[in-house]
Amino acid sequence: MQLKFEVLNNTLVVLLNGELDHHSAEEVREEIDKKIESQNIKNLVFDLTNMRFMDSSGIGVVIGRYKKINKLGGKVGVANLNPHVDKIFQMAGIYKIICKFDTKEEALANL
Amino acid sequence: MQLKFEVLNNTLVVLLNGELDHHSAEEVREEIDKKIESQNIKNLVFDLTNMRFMDSSGIGVVIGRYKKINKLGGKVGVANLNPHVDKIFQMAGIYKIICKFDTKEEALANL
Amino acid sequence: MSFENYMKIEFLSKSQNESFARVVVASFVSQLDPTIEELADIKTAVSEAVTNSIIHGYDKQNEKVYLECRIIGNTIEITVEDFGKGIDDVDLARQPLYTSKPELERSGMGFTVMETFMDRIIVESEKGKGTRIKMIKKLKTAKNKE
Amino acid sequence: MSFENYMKIEFLSKSQNESFARVVVASFVSQLDPTIEELADIKTAVSEAVTNSIIHGYDKQNEKVYLECRIIGNTIEITVEDFGKGIDDVDLARQPLYTSKPELERSGMGFTVMETFMDRIIVESEKGKGTRIKMIKKLKTAKNKE
Ligand SMILES: Nc1ncnc2c1ncn2[C@@H]1O[C@H](COP(=O)(O)OP(=O)(O)O)[C@@H](O)[C@H]1O
Ligand SMILES: Nc1ncnc2c1ncn2[C@@H]1O[C@H](COP(=O)(O)OP(=O)(O)O)[C@@H](O)[C@H]1O
């Protein structure tokens, strides 16, 4: 898994490149948390354009970051989901706490 | 394995699309032989641009077609080989009986 | 036309083998020409079961996980087995959001994913002996029409 | 850093499983980041050994072929095994251009390909019992530097 970060007005955008499973989750978690802690981050956007696979380990990663960001008074969004990932998030009821957006730009404009 | 055929002046050009192994060899063999017999073919060119894999089963297919074409007084060429396939053909001494060309056009001009 | 094929694989309970298991199953199942969605469903279910054997079944690495895949007509049967800890209470374990490892940020949605993406799953588990998950899915658009 | 991983697979002696076996090995070996050439070499050698078990080892389909893959540091050890006919004369069988099935348009170059593309191959075979081919290759540019 390869991560790319972008910070725009207190919002951290993470572009996930690859497969998000239990194996890659730890690294993803650590890298994102480091960014959240080192930069002055309020909101977080997961850009999933290039995420080729995700299983329920991804739910854990997203909810874990939500808890962190929520404490900081921020919001979390996900953008550019394929139907398969959408199905998994829906199953877990993730949209009760996290907003879904069609594009990164939409997420940045609305968080 | 997907085959595409083209006939140009008594020369049959076979474009191989996919993986040539023992599993696909039989179908490849049959389809080519059918063309050789049904059209008025003299020479044969294997265009390997899109052949993604080949093992020693491919040697058998090429030599088998050589024997057939040789009886008809024609010649066989191979074009657009990647280095891996080239190594396998070299190993088998195939270039003693079959000509190697960089492109299909070169093969057609020189057979 | 009916059609049978079968494979069985064993590999170590290392997390880098999770993606390997997915590739193996995807490659084996691809002979039935599944749709992209069916393939994603199967890969996800396999990923859940294999991950569970690795993190819940075995505490330490380098124990063996077994994965079997059977094709019968248009139906795919996948079995994932470990000889690890086993599950105390299978009914509880299968409930959405239940996890025994929240500290690892597990979501407790593994079984729910398997149940949603496959037609049927059968869980056999014995405390201290191990766990065997059998998952069955019939492909709609498969090549091998019966 | 040294590194160990291991997998073992069994599958039926059907010709459509030849490409499956290549994908399995390529996927497992890819954790060492081989070059494209190294990967092609390994896939080709595996294809030869598996094809031999299918067409020479077993006369009929649906017998079992076993493939094992072990990673030790930068070295890959692959074993392909069948419990089929076995080889009469291994030295003769290993000679370039020797084939017992010219009627199938076999070229007799299988063993030569394995020997050229891998560093070392060890053939154990017993008439009526079966054949086991062990192939070893050290990757030059592998991720796991020892
Ligand atoms: N192979 C297994 N061995 C032992 N326990 C298991 C196994 N698979 C699942 N479990 C138990 O069932 C629970 C629920 O599993 P699951 O729904 O996949 O959620 P998660 O993996 O997120 O915990 C696990 O937390 C674990 O306690
Ligand atoms: N697994 C096997 N079981 C029985 N015989 C085998 C096996 N592998 C190879 N052989 C014998 O060795 C010969 C040479 O093998 P090889 O060099 O791969 O050439 P080819 O497969 O083209 O015949 C085969 O023709 C066969 O007689």
Side-chain angles (χ1 to χ4, degrees), chain B residues 9-94:
Chain B
N9 283 337
N10 292 1
T11 297
L12 176 66
V13 180
V14 191
L15 183 71
L16 289 98
N17 220 311
E19 313 206 328
L20 181 51
D21 61 5
H22 157 252
H23 177 65
S24 61
E26 195 181 316
E27 181 199 336
V28 170
R29 192 183 304 144
E30 280 176 10
E31 284 199 43
I32 295 177
D33 286 356
K34 211 158 59 185
K35 281 280 170 194
I36 294 177
E37 283 151 27
S38 68
Q39 320 250 343
N40 188 22
I41 299 302
K42 193 171 168 235
N43 302 317
L44 173 63
V45 175
F46 289 93
D47 182 345
L48 306 182
T49 315
N50 299 322
M51 194 173 69
R52 293 192 319 269
F53 175 83
M54 192 194 84
D55 65 15
S56 75
S57 310
I59 302 170
V61 169
V62 172
I63 293 182
R65 280 349 94 218
Y66 164 77
K67 287 182 182 162
K68 214 173 172 78
I69 290 288
N70 192 42
K71 272 193 205 145
L72 302 171
K75 286 182 184 166
V76 177
V78 288
N80 294 311
L81 291 79
N82 68 42
H84 194 74
V85 173
D86 190 31
K87 210 155 116 184
I88 295 175
F89 280 158
Q90 219 131 38
M91 222 181 278
I94 244 180

Side-chain angles (χ1 to χ4, degrees), chain B residues 19 21-23 29 53-57 59-61 63-65 84 87-88 91-92, chain D residues 15-16 18 22 37 40-41 44 47-48 51 55 104-107 109-110 113 116-117:
Chain B
E19 313 206 328
D21 61 5
H22 157 252
H23 177 65
R29 192 183 304 144
F53 175 83
M54 192 194 84
D55 65 15
S56 75
S57 310
I59 302 170
V61 169
I63 293 182
R65 280 349 94 218
H84 194 74
K87 210 155 116 184
I88 295 175
M91 222 181 278
Chain D
S15 65
Q16 65 261 48
E18 291 157 10
R22 295 195 294 271
E37 196 189 339
D41 288 355
T44 313
S47 199
E48 299 297 346
T51 300
I55 61 178
L104 292 185
E105 289 196 349
R106 300 303 302 164
S107 63
M109 292 300 291
V113 165
T116 310
F117 286 159

Side-chain angles (χ1 to χ4, degrees), chain C residues 52-53 56-57 82 86-87 93 98-100 106-111 131:
Chain C
N52 280 353
S53 288
H56 300 301
D82 65 67
I87 302 175
Y98 172 79
T99 178
S100 57
R106 301 303 300 165
S107 63
M109 292 300 291
F111 275 121
T131 303

Side-chain angles (χ1 to χ4, degrees), chain A residues 20-22 25 29 54-65 67 88-94 97, chain C residues 44 48 51-52 55-56 92-114:
Chain A
L20 181 51
D21 61 6
H22 157 252
R29 193 183 302 143
M54 192 193 84
D55 65 15
S56 76
S57 310
I59 302 170
V61 170
V62 172
I63 293 182
R65 280 349 94 218
K67 287 182 182 160
I88 295 174
F89 281 158
Q90 220 133 37
M91 222 180 278
I94 243 180
I97 52 175
Chain C
T44 312
E48 299 296 349
T51 299
N52 280 353
I55 61 179
H56 300 301
L92 177 66
R94 291 178 76 150
Q95 286 194 0
L97 304 174
Y98 172 79
T99 178
S100 57
K101 300 219 165 163
E103 74 282 9
L104 292 185
E105 291 197 346
R106 301 303 300 165
S107 63
M109 292 300 291
F111 275 121
T112 310
V113 165
M114 291 182 244

